[in-house]
Amino acid sequence: MDGFEMKTVTNRNLRTSNDPNMAYLDTLYKGIRQNWPEMSDEEIEEYLEGCIR
């Protein structure tokens, strides 16, 4: 993607619950904050919450 090699991890079976670890969410939060500094804390939290099934 955009000239960078990517790897994905997928599963053919849809899980009923997919609650991420807080350390993982924190890593995602920091990455979003670094790359999209215009996003507010609330916007980032809403985005991440929307990604959890």
Side-chain angles (χ1 to χ4, degrees), residues 22-35:
M22 286 306 295
Y24 178 69
L25 284 175
D26 187 53
T27 299
L28 293 175
Y29 179 90
K30 288 176 182 175
I32 293 169
R33 166 65 55 229
Q34 183 177 13
N35 289 283

Side-chain angles (χ1 to χ4, degrees), residues 1-2 5-6 14 17-18 20 22 29-31 33-36 38-43 47-48 50 53:
M1 177 175 239
D2 297 330
E5 182 178 330
M6 290 181 57
L14 181 61
S17 178
N18 193 18
M22 286 306 295
Y29 179 90
K30 288 176 182 175
R33 166 65 55 229
Q34 183 177 13
N35 289 283
W36 290 277
E38 68 278 3
M39 288 182 74
S40 70
D41 291 339
E42 293 79 20
E43 289 173 318
Y47 171 76
L48 291 174
R53 292 187 214 170

